[in-house]
Amino acid sequence: MKEKQIIITFSSTTDAMLFEMEAKKNNICGRLIPTPTTITAECGLSYKAPLSEKKQVLEVCSMLAFTNYNVYELEM
């Protein structure tokens, strides 16, 4: 059964890996995945989390002062 997920794309692999470390520290339930082919992004890695984690995910992006990321909601 497909569920809506939040997908965050990044401008670099470094940003993706930094985000993953911070997400783990903040107990966000998610993981790095290859960027889905339906999304065009600068980096081949994205972070996938349940839609219920959206607020926490955006807080981590803000805390890390990321300016070049995109947020998508996809059924996966």
Side-chain angles (χ1 to χ4, degrees):
M1 177 184 235
K2 291 184 177 184
E3 293 182 27
K4 239 183 191 182
Q5 304 283 318
I6 183 170
I7 306 294
I8 306 293
T9 62
F10 304 95
S11 61
S12 70
T13 301
T14 303
D15 284 355
M17 295 174 76
L18 178 61
F19 181 88
E20 181 186 41
M21 284 182 9
E22 288 301 317
K24 285 181 182 179
K25 287 181 189 176
N26 287 279
N27 297 316
I28 295 174
C29 178
R31 64 187 176 94
L32 286 178
I33 63 168
T35 300
T37 56
T38 56
I39 297 173
T40 302
E42 294 175 42
C43 176
L45 292 176
S46 296
Y47 191 84
K48 177 179 91 165
L51 190 57
S52 60
E53 301 279 339
K54 184 174 183 176
K55 180 180 177 187
Q56 294 90 329
V57 166
L58 295 177
E59 286 173 357
V60 170
C61 286
S62 178
M63 180 185 73
L64 294 171
F66 286 163
T67 56
N68 196 10
Y69 66 94
N70 291 300
V71 180
Y72 300 89
E73 292 180 17
L74 298 176
E75 285 193 12
M76 299 181 83

